[in-house]
Amino acid sequence: MTDFAATRALFHLPPGVIYLDGNSLGPLPRAAEARAAAAIREQWGERLIRGWNDAGWMALPTRVGDRIARLVGAPAGSVITGDTLSIKLFQALAAAIALRPGRRVVLSDSGNFPSDLYIAQSLLDSLGQGHELRVVAPEEVADAIDEDVAVTMLTEVDYRTGRLHDMRALTASAHAAGAIALWDLAHSAGALPVDLAGADADFAVGCTYKYLNGGPGAPAFLYLAPRHAETARPILSGWLGHRAPFAFERDYAPAPGVERMRVGTPPVIALSVLDAALDVWDGVDMADLRAASIRLSQCFIAEVEARCPQLTLASPRDPHARGSQVSVAHPQAYAVMQALIARGVIGDVRAPDLLRFGFTPLYLSEEEVVRAVDILADILATGAWDRPEHHARAAVT
């Protein structure tokens, strides 16, 4: 059994704070702070440019990718890290579309993160080949997959409600129709067991600053199924995706496998921090993690429904139909959340009316969940949320 008391000790957690926002930004792993200092002082400071060879900087995107691969059910050598999630999605979608040149539809759903839809529409407009981004309701995806679809582009866990898509079933439906399956794991990786190889996914992308605790703006990752490793065409043909980047050849030739999805210089400090953050996962069994996250979220829902009649559950009630987050609705969600944060309970808000809470067993206990609802119930019962300072909007919600 995974020792979650031991994993909790690996994090810097501010005293007096109950942190229910790891689904948006994970807390600081203690080892990450030390690794960042070492990368800056001992590697960059002392080794200077020699760090590329002496400290293995150039291999970081692949080495860290292999560590993430274990957490998402991917084989070694199929995951690369670097750049942002938007860039990795752009790369993966472009490569997926190119694998189905006779088709013109990219299928997504209205629960997808808006940035994914923006990236897709921008790419299709730039291609200028008559492609269509077709967006349907989440429950209509399976029926919308037909022989016109080139790519299904879906986020496994809905960022607003935590609703969970059936990756295996929808990937099978895509393949049966001759389409490519691309998955965004932003709210899946580190939150629940993911089996990319078992589900037969073609591409996947994800961020590492949420449940993987890699820090704000931590590098994203891209999965390329081995069967596409030598045929996928990288639309961003960066020099580090070249087969021999230091030969400085005039013409581009893709590197073998997922290495072709590298673009530019790896963010060494950020990757070093992420590498240290992933140490937390060395003793974690994903089935244990999932069971514990369900216990925490079920406890939260039961407590809220017993004591907070002003709130409405906005997430699937079945814990197996959602990820590791729960959303509840309130017409003044923003002000309620600001009042909560002022009392030391940190979650976040998604417009227009959702209070969103993440449940991360690595550092969160059932006792803290109950205490958080104590505070939430008091804020709602007393109307403490309805103060001017709680209505003042900040840039980030």
Side-chain angles (χ1 to χ4, degrees), residues 3-13 28-31 280 361-364:
D3 185 349
F4 291 114
T7 60
R8 180 185 175 94
L10 300 176
F11 289 91
H12 171 83
L13 298 167
L28 173 66
R30 295 183 186 279
V280 171
L362 294 180
Y363 50 82
L364 186 64

Side-chain angles (χ1 to χ4, degrees), residues 234-319:
I235 192 170
L236 294 174
S237 304
W239 77 299
L240 289 182
H242 193 280
R243 66 184 176 189
F246 288 92
F248 300 108
E249 297 173 357
R250 181 181 180 278
D251 296 321
Y252 179 80
V258 74
E259 292 285 330
R260 67 185 56 200
M261 294 300 182
R262 293 177 66 161
V263 182
T265 305
V268 170
I269 307 303
L271 279 169
S272 298
V273 169
L274 174 57
D275 188 32
L278 292 171
D279 289 348
V280 171
W281 295 93
D282 287 347
V284 176
D285 180 89
M286 296 305 292
D288 292 345
L289 181 91
R290 178 62 167 160
S293 75
I294 287 175
R295 286 195 298 272
L296 293 172
S297 62
Q298 289 294 87
C299 172
F300 177 80
I301 291 171
E303 293 287 330
V304 164
E305 292 191 329
R307 296 192 281 153
C308 304
Q310 305 91 334
L311 302 177
T312 303
L313 180 65
S315 296
R317 185 168 296 280
D318 177 1

